[in-house]
């Protein structure tokens, strides 16, 4: 009996040790930055803790997959193509996944963006910057405002999606004073949303704001295994983008 009890206690100890490891503990063992004034926002980044392989259940980035959205933006008919590439880019010493975003307004390419995402060892997704260009109707670039890279000119990376989203907790998705100041928080883990691609009962709903446009408030909806399925304006200019197709 004593030997059997010792074996049981030994097994319990092994399980406890496994649960104490960073991988089993989920996002709790990774130190995510506290929300605070932008000028004092300096998350500690150890490049060894990051990977370009983004597998977060609410924001998976599978190379070769393209999400297709349609709707309206700036009062015009919109088509948005978001493609996860096999390419990586090192930003501030961290290897990130390159995601290409192409926005068409009334069937004309209006904006092209390369976004740089990475995932920490606990499954939290971070955003390390973007290269964006706005184009006129003749295909000429007239603005690159909004482009930024973590580690350059005081810009800092932000948390884009927690491994285990917490309702009400705010994060900076990006920080480049005067250029990129998006903030988000989760407001529901069980929202209903219907888009052309399908209907979902347990979507994650977030609120996004920016000090650069204080009159604007957007809601985004994320579904496990898919990622973002809708972006809807709540305040400000009426805009809506909904998922219609996934191309693999």
């Amino acid at each position: 009996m004593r030997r059997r009890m010792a074996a049981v206690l030994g097994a319990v100890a092994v399980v406890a040790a496994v649960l104490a490891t960073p991988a089993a503990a989920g996002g709790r063992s990774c130190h995510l930055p506290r929300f605070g004034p932008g000028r004092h926002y300096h998350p500690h980044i150890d490049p060894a803790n990051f990977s370009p392989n983004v597998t977060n259940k609410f924001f998976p980035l599978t190379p070769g997959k393209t999400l297709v959205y349609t709707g309206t933006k700036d009062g015009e008919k919109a088509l948005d193509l978001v493609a996860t590439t096999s390419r990586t880019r090192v930003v501030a010493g961290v290897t990130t996944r390159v995601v290409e975003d192409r926005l068409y307004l009334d069937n004309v390419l209006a904006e092209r963006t390369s976004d740089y995402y990475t995932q920490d060892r606990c499954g939290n997704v971070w955003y390390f910057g973007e290269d964006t260009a706005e184009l006129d109707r003749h295909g000429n670039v007239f603005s690159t405002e909004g482009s930024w890279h973590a580690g350059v000119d005081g810009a800092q990376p932000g948390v884009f999606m927690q491994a285990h989203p917490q309702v009400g907790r705010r994060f900076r998705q990006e920080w480049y004073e005067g250029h990129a100041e998006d903030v988000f928080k989760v407001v529901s883990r069980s929202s209903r949303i219907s888009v052309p691609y399908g209907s979902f009962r347990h979507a994650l709903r977030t609120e996004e704001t920016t000090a650069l446009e204080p009159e604007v408030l957007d809601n985004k909806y994320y579904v496990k295994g898919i990622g973002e399925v809708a972006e809807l304006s709540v305040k400000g200019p009426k805009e809506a983008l909904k998922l219609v197709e996934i191309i693999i």
Side-chain angles (χ1 to χ4, degrees):
M1 177 63 74
R2 289 181 180 178
R3 286 197 298 271
R4 183 179 301 173
M5 181 61 70
V8 171
L9 292 176
V12 170
V14 169
V15 171
V18 170
L19 292 176
T21 63
R28 292 190 297 274
S29 63
C30 289
H31 298 291
L32 295 177
R34 293 179 179 273
F35 186 87
R39 293 183 180 181
H40 300 288
Y41 173 78
H42 297 285
H44 174 71
I45 300 296
D46 180 355
N49 289 334
F50 291 85
S51 166
N53 300 319
V54 178
T55 58
N56 182 291
K57 58 188 176 183
F58 284 107
F59 195 69
L61 297 178
T62 304
K65 183 170 71 175
T66 299
L67 302 182
V68 181
Y69 304 87
T70 61
T72 58
K73 186 175 177 67
D74 299 331
E76 299 181 275
K77 182 177 66 174
L79 167 67
D80 194 21
L81 306 177
V82 181
T84 300
T85 75
S86 60
R87 306 195 317 273
T88 61
R89 175 168 177 166
V90 176
V91 182
V94 173
T95 303
T96 68
R97 176 67 58 194
V98 180
V99 175
E100 298 290 356
D101 191 333
R102 299 292 182 266
L103 175 66
Y104 295 81
L105 298 179
D106 284 343
N107 299 318
V108 176
L109 181 62
E111 186 174 330
R112 62 171 185 248
T113 304
S114 297
D115 294 303
Y116 309 120
Y117 297 97
T118 189
Q119 182 170 293
D120 67 25
R121 60 189 172 86
C122 297
N124 305 297
V125 181
W126 291 67
Y127 190 39
F128 268 66
E130 63 183 293
D131 284 300
T132 186
E134 296 182 64
L135 295 80
D136 63 22
R137 298 193 70 83
H138 302 289
N140 300 310
V141 175
F142 67 85
S143 175
T144 57
E145 178 66 25
S147 296
W148 65 281
H149 302 97
V152 176
D153 196 24
Q156 300 291 328
V159 176
F160 196 87
M161 180 65 69
Q162 283 182 282
H164 304 284
Q166 297 169 280
V167 173
R169 184 173 178 182
R170 287 197 299 169
F171 289 98
R172 293 190 179 278
Q173 289 181 316
E174 56 188 11
W175 174 254
Y176 180 28
E177 188 172 9
H179 302 273
E181 300 185 19
D182 287 4
V183 170
F184 88 103
K185 69 176 179 180
V186 174
V187 294
S188 173
R189 293 174 55 96
S190 57
S191 290
R192 293 174 179 264
I193 184 71
S194 291
V195 299
Y197 186 77
S199 297
F200 307 95
R201 300 176 59 186
H202 300 287
L204 184 76
R205 179 164 61 95
T206 67
E207 281 187 356
E208 287 196 7
T209 59
T210 173
L212 304 179
E213 296 178 301
E215 74 284 357
V216 174
L217 171 64
D218 291 335
N219 276 176
K220 288 187 177 181
Y221 295 79
Y222 299 85
V223 171
K224 289 181 181 179
I226 297 176
E228 183 182 326
V229 298
E231 177 180 355
L232 307 174
S233 62
V234 178
K235 296 180 182 178
K238 289 189 178 299
E239 297 182 358
L241 287 171
K242 297 182 179 181
L243 183 66
V244 299
E245 185 180 3
I246 297 178
I247 302 172
I248 299 177

